[in-house]
Amino acid sequence: MSDAPVFSIDPAGFHADPYPTLAQMRAQAPVCYVPELGATLFTRRDDVFVQEKRIEMFSSHQPAGLLTKVMGENLMRKDGDAHMAERRALFPALSPRTVRDVLAPQFRTIVQGHIDRLKPMGSCDLVSDFAMPVSADALRVMTGLTNMEAADMDAASQAMLDAAANYQNDPQIDAKGHAAAAQVLALIKDRLPELRAAPDRSIISVLDQAGLSLDAIAGNVRVIIGGGQNEPRDAIAGTAWALLTHPDQREMIDTGQATWTAAFNEYTRVVAPIGMSPRRVAQNGTACNVTFQQDELIFFMFGSACRDESHFTDPDRFDITRDTGPAIPFGAGPHFCAGAAASRSLIADHALPMLFDQMPGLTRAGDAPFQGWAFRGPTQVPVTWAP
């Protein structure tokens, strides 16, 4: 292991709310070894920003890593030319032009359908009743897995993510993750004949057209389901919660002083839905005055970086007028989220403005508990409105 200072955590408390502990780490031991996680954590923004790009030292290639074991080989766990080859193959499905011309009209239809379904009810849980199915239906279109139900998409995403963050080695969590991975593979096999007969710009189709093997397609689709369901679901419900909790911020959007994109950017800074990214130490060396040994595990803590006091005044406060430029909730290096443009379109251009515009009197109706540190979001956001 590294010779970084040892910093012990309470895993349950860290899962419930990691931010006080992460603030202590940034102040006292910004690069520290956490025995409960078996990893050395980088917690300051500038350290994460610089070191994430040192792929010769901190490699994404982790053949024995949890994410690879659950989801299979994928571009998130490759570096250099191997990573870029699969990223280029994926690009036609998620390019800004595809988002604008192909996905955005479908996003609007998806969001409108769920608003029409919910509007007469007068109340709902924004997580399970709106954000989850909106995110899942968008992901069904993006991936090409139109043969997968929205609830199954959400369940598979959560099961695989839980297994990929199962550093406590819970066998039940591991089994659920692998079962979900097998389900995704079976559904891809079912869809491939149709997509080969009528190719489109869905992720499965463009990867198949690029000549990737079935296993490579499945590995990439699984990892995209993980982030592509989790992050939009949590960001839709979480940003709505933040605006309902801070009505002055919502009013600034209504009066044209701020934008929905600013709200999305600030929420993902305050609560980064993907809170960390693991790396394998590829060679012995040093970083930030810490010595590392080959093959040990390190975590780049995006959620901590986005609350770094050296870049953000009063970093725990939700403020949509602040400059979020230094925030890195989507990563900073070559693994910057390929779906960022699609996520912004779905959330900031469609889900949030349509929800608030078409649900008059939208109001919080109860507590909104949050959980997670590797992946974080609200477990429920109960609301009411005038039907």
Side-chain angles (χ1 to χ4, degrees):
M1 65 183 234
S2 73
D3 62 0
V6 175
F7 198 114
S8 289
I9 65 168
D10 167 26
F14 201 62
H15 181 78
D17 183 2
Y19 297 115
T21 302
L22 290 170
Q24 292 176 12
M25 291 177 180
R26 290 195 300 273
Q28 301 170 14
V31 180
C32 58
Y33 178 76
V34 178
E36 293 81 6
L37 301 177
T40 298
L41 277 56
F42 287 76
T43 61
R44 286 183 179 169
R45 185 267 179 195
D46 289 348
D47 291 341
V48 173
F49 186 82
V50 171
Q51 300 302 326
E52 192 187 7
K53 299 179 178 71
R54 294 182 62 197
I55 60 174
E56 78 287 350
M57 177 74 181
F58 300 115
S59 175
S60 294
H61 182 53
Q62 301 169 52
L66 290 179
L67 188 142
T68 304
K69 287 182 176 179
V70 175
M71 300 186 184
E73 294 287 342
N74 61 82
L75 81 171
M76 282 294 294
R77 288 296 172 263
K78 295 179 180 179
D79 290 317
D81 292 343
H83 168 76
M84 288 308 301
E86 293 192 6
R87 197 175 181 99
R88 282 192 295 270
L90 178 64
F91 181 76
L94 298 173
S95 72
R97 178 177 294 181
T98 298
V99 171
R100 183 194 66 201
D101 297 342
V102 178
L103 294 176
Q106 296 181 81
F107 290 166
R108 176 166 293 276
T109 299
I110 288 167
V111 173
Q112 190 63 59
H114 287 292
I115 288 176
D116 291 345
R117 172 178 57 84
L118 292 171
K119 195 168 184 178
M121 296 168 54
S123 66
C124 76
D125 169 19
L126 282 182
V127 176
S128 61
D129 297 328
F130 180 68
M132 184 278 281
V134 163
S135 180
D137 282 342
L139 196 55
R140 291 169 68 238
V141 168
M142 291 165 63
T143 60
L145 282 176
T146 52
N147 55 338
M148 192 173 197
E149 295 297 326
D152 292 337
M153 181 75 77
D154 187 72
S157 171
Q158 197 61 56
M160 290 188 294
L161 288 179
D162 288 346
N166 185 25
Y167 294 99
Q168 280 73 48
N169 297 312
D170 185 318
Q172 291 186 332
I173 292 175
D174 189 62
K176 288 181 180 178
H178 282 87
Q183 177 193 23
V184 171
L185 175 62
L187 291 169
I188 292 171
K189 288 180 178 178
D190 287 345
R191 280 288 285 142
L192 270 174
E194 300 172 60
L195 290 171
R196 285 172 176 166
D200 60 19
R201 280 197 251 181
S202 68
I203 290 167
I204 294 171
S205 185
V206 300
L207 294 181
D208 185 53
Q209 292 172 58
L212 271 68
S213 69
L214 175 61
D215 285 344
I217 294 171
N220 283 299
V221 170
R222 288 177 186 131
V223 81
I224 288 166
I225 287 174
Q229 172 65 10
N230 171 82
E231 186 273 333
R233 179 198 66 205
D234 293 346
I236 291 169
T239 308
W241 164 83
L243 291 170
L244 292 171
T245 306
H246 301 84
D248 58 319
Q249 309 276 304
R250 162 72 198 286
E251 186 177 355
M252 283 192 282
I253 298 175
D254 290 342
T255 58
Q257 300 174 71
T259 65
W260 294 106
T261 297
F264 168 75
N265 290 343
E266 174 64 351
Y267 174 76
T268 55
R269 182 200 67 80
V270 173
V271 185
I274 300 176
M276 74 87 170
S277 183
R279 296 288 190 273
R280 176 182 60 86
V281 177
Q283 60 185 19
N284 296 346
T286 62
C288 304
N289 298 315
V290 172
T291 300
F292 293 87
Q293 302 296 319
Q294 185 174 353
D295 289 333
E296 67 177 292
L297 183 64
I298 67 105
F299 295 161
F300 290 126
M301 304 299 290
F302 298 144
S304 177
C306 288
R307 293 200 188 197
D308 191 327
E309 298 81 358
S310 65
H311 285 276
F312 305 104
T313 302
D314 195 6
D316 298 337
R317 179 168 57 90
F318 179 76
D319 177 8
I320 64 175
T321 67
R322 80 164 76 237
D323 176 14
T324 57
I328 50 174
F330 292 105
H335 286 278
F336 180 83
C337 177
S343 180
R344 291 181 192 281
S345 175
L346 175 64
I347 299 166
D349 296 344
H350 298 95
L352 291 173
M354 293 172 70
L355 174 70
F356 279 86
D357 289 349
Q358 297 186 44
M359 298 295 206
L362 189 66
T363 306
R364 280 181 56 189
D367 293 336
F370 282 66
Q371 67 177 19
W373 60 272
F375 307 96
R376 185 165 182 83
T379 58
Q380 64 178 27
V381 180
V383 294
T384 61
W385 60 88

